[in-house]
């Protein structure tokens, strides 16, 4: 009995000591395919929710975290900017030099094996 308790205690100490809390958030690479897909989805949902006719794009990912929860929950903090391209344009949009950045946080839940992806908390900007 004592050896099991000691084993569990050591496991928790090691997990906390190495910065990884089991079931908690960890840093995510925003260039990884799953994170990239989740962020693109979040930005598309943000564009759909605005009444503006111009497209907004992510200029810089400030923070990217993920949590494994019967899928993957991503939380992104992103600097966004408004472009001169209309939302319905399919081409690549250049960011104007005088574009005023604003910061948004997106929370996305992804279950790619279904496929199912949801913006679970609207953009907090």
């Amino acid at each position: 009995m004592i050896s099991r308790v000691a084993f569990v205690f050591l496991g928790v100490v090691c997990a906390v000591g190495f910065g990884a809390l089991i079931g908690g958030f960890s840093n995510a690479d925003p260039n990884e395919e799953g994170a990239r897909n989740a962020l693109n989805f979040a930005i598309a949902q943000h564009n759909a929710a605005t009444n503006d006719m111009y497209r907004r794009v992510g200029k810089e990912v400030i923070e990217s975290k993920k949590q494994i929860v019967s899928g993957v929950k991503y939380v992104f903090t992103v600097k966004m900017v408004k472009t001169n391209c209309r939302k319905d344009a399919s081409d690549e949009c250049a960011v104007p030099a005088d574009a005023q950045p604003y910061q948004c946080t997106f929370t996305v839940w992804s279950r790619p094996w279904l496929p199912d992806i949801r913006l679970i908390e609207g953009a907090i900007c």
Side-chain angles (χ1 to χ4, degrees):
M1 177 68 172
I2 293 176
S3 63
R4 283 190 217 175
V5 172
F7 181 74
V8 170
F9 176 74
L10 286 174
V12 170
V13 168
C14 287
V16 172
F18 291 114
L21 183 60
I22 298 169
F25 280 96
S26 61
N27 290 329
D29 178 359
N31 296 314
E32 177 230 50
E33 183 181 4
R36 196 173 56 246
N37 290 341
L39 182 56
N40 288 340
F41 176 79
I43 292 171
Q45 293 297 304
H46 178 61
N47 274 308
T50 64
N51 290 328
D52 198 340
M53 71 172 77
Y54 296 101
R55 187 182 317 162
R56 291 143 192 273
V57 296
K59 182 176 182 180
E60 176 187 356
V61 177
I62 297 168
E63 184 177 46
S64 178
K65 295 196 169 286
K66 68 180 176 181
Q67 179 184 30
I68 307 302
V69 289
S70 65
V72 183
K73 182 178 180 182
Y74 293 98
V75 178
F76 302 102
T77 303
V78 182
K79 279 189 183 175
M80 302 285 294
V81 292
K82 181 177 169 181
T83 68
N84 292 330
C85 297
R86 295 178 63 94
K87 283 185 187 178
D88 56 1
S90 60
D91 56 335
E92 186 79 17
C93 291
V95 175
D98 62 345
Q100 294 297 313
Y102 61 98
Q103 186 171 301
C104 290
T105 300
F106 302 105
T107 302
V108 178
W109 180 40
S110 175
R111 297 184 295 173
W113 61 90
L114 287 180
D116 181 26
I117 188 166
R118 301 173 191 186
L119 185 63
I120 59 173
E121 291 178 19
I124 300 170
C125 300

